[in-house]
Amino acid sequence: MPEHRPGRALTADAPERTAVPTTARRLRLSRLLAEMIPGAHTLRVTLRGPARTWPSPHASAYDDCGRRLPLNPPQARTAARWIIRACPEADWRQEYDLDLRTGRLLRVTEARNAAVGGR
């Protein structure tokens, strides 16, 4: 019988993990979301779902022309959770748009200014 040693169990050394750059992570997430929501160009993410008084992750999908695409509640909640977890550096008290083609995450006010002409 092996000798008992107090303390932590012996484990194999974990291989070195390389950090995935945030942009690569967002781009990969964008591709997954684009597959999950066909025809979507942009996802608007907020912690305030419609008709909710408490924080509730919510996403809305928009096509190339800015028309809203229908999402069922599980899709909206799942997409929002994935984006929020992939972008912890964002201030989630505000709304953000995720461009599914480039993986860029912009505050809604910045996205509107960029669309108007960069004011």
Side-chain angles (χ1 to χ4, degrees), residues 5-48:
R5 295 184 188 155
R8 293 179 56 194
L10 297 176
T11 59
D13 291 334
E16 291 280 330
R17 291 186 186 178
T18 57
V20 177
T22 305
T23 54
R25 181 175 293 141
R26 282 191 201 144
L27 192 56
R28 190 171 59 233
L29 174 64
S30 298
R31 289 179 185 152
L32 289 171
L33 289 168
E35 288 177 17
M36 186 172 97
I37 308 165
H41 178 266
T42 305
L43 286 178
R44 180 160 293 161
V45 182
T46 180
L47 277 179
R48 289 274 179 210

Side-chain angles (χ1 to χ4, degrees), residues 42 44 96-97 106-117:
T42 305
R44 180 160 293 161
Y96 282 86
D97 283 348
L106 293 173
R107 280 192 204 132
V108 170
T109 54
E110 292 172 356
R112 286 182 186 148
N113 288 343
V116 170

Side-chain angles (χ1 to χ4, degrees), residues 22 25-26 82-92 105:
T22 305
R25 181 175 293 141
R26 282 191 201 144
W82 286 2
I83 295 167
I84 289 169
R85 288 179 182 163
C87 308
E89 71 280 358
D91 178 11
W92 289 107
L105 185 72

Side-chain angles (χ1 to χ4, degrees), residues 47-65:
L47 277 179
R48 289 274 179 210
R52 303 281 178 154
T53 57
W54 59 87
S56 175
H58 182 75
S60 301
Y62 297 90
D63 66 6
D64 289 341
C65 298

